[in-house]
Amino acid sequence: MLKVGLTGGIGAGKSEVSRLLVECGAVLIDADRIAREVVAPGTPGLAAVVDAFGEEVLTADGSLDRPRLGSVVFADPEKLAVLNSIVHPLVGARSRELEGAAAEDSVVVHDVPLLTENGLAPLYDLVIVVDASPATQLDRLVRRRGMTEEDARARMAAQATREQRREIADIVIDNDVPLDALERRVKEVWAELVRRARASRRTPQE
């Protein structure tokens, strides 16, 4: 099994790259998706969040009110640390469970938005960084996601810098390109991942 960490700044196109890797044959473990699952209604995770922050972080139907919780924790580092102490272990446990269920010869891609910020690179056999210029990121966030330019710049500034992400990269995928060029690059990267996965399974000759 080859364990790959995939990351990139907001608006860089990481989701598109992960989709293309799945088409190639990768097993995808999406940290954002798992983070939502572990605090779904009826889960111990949601109960722990409510214990910590009160029922005002719930919507009328009993699900987590993410905007409300975000407004509480992102303005207070201590409260954010409390939330992370609840969610991160649950996400880690579920990620390990999914990884354990994958075939031994799989290329397992962990899509982790804050891989750089949280110093997680050592957990993986290699790290892929999806890279785009700040101008491209800003354009995508405003034009495709409907953010204001101010909000988009604030979200970008809250993440690791482009240089910090590239420093931890074993492979960089440039996404300042049209989709067909991105598809070709991802196929090249996939061939390299398969090669590395096979090499890791070889037993050294005595």
Side-chain angles (χ1 to χ4, degrees), residues 10-45:
I10 186 170
K14 178 173 55 61
S15 296
E16 184 66 20
V17 170
S18 66
R19 181 186 69 79
L20 292 170
L21 286 169
V22 169
E23 286 186 1
C24 289
V27 174
L28 179 65
I29 298 177
D30 185 332
D32 269 354
R33 182 178 301 169
I34 295 171
R36 292 190 292 272
E37 291 175 357
V38 298
V39 291
T43 60

Side-chain angles (χ1 to χ4, degrees), residues 56-57 59 64-74:
E56 61 267 24
V57 299
T59 63
L64 185 62
D65 186 336
R66 293 180 179 279
R68 170 65 179 161
L69 180 60
S71 69
V72 171
V73 301
F74 289 117

Side-chain angles (χ1 to χ4, degrees), residues 160-182:
T161 65
R162 185 182 191 185
E163 291 73 24
Q164 287 170 330
R165 282 190 294 270
R166 291 179 70 99
E167 281 177 6
I168 66 163
D170 297 291
I171 297 174
V172 175
I173 295 178
D174 175 19
N175 198 15
D176 276 320
V177 296
L179 182 57
D180 59 345
L182 179 64

Side-chain angles (χ1 to χ4, degrees), residues 97-145:
E97 182 181 342
L98 292 171
E99 185 179 275
E104 185 57 38
D105 60 350
S106 297
V107 174
V108 179
V109 175
H110 291 261
D111 182 334
V112 186
L114 299 181
L115 188 153
T116 307
E117 291 83 346
N118 291 331
L120 302 178
L123 297 179
Y124 308 104
D125 296 316
L126 69 143
V127 172
I128 298 174
V129 170
V130 183
D131 184 59
S133 70
T136 297
Q137 290 178 262
L138 184 63
D139 176 69
R140 288 173 178 158
L141 294 174
V142 172
R143 184 165 51 85
R144 299 182 186 177
R145 299 198 194 180

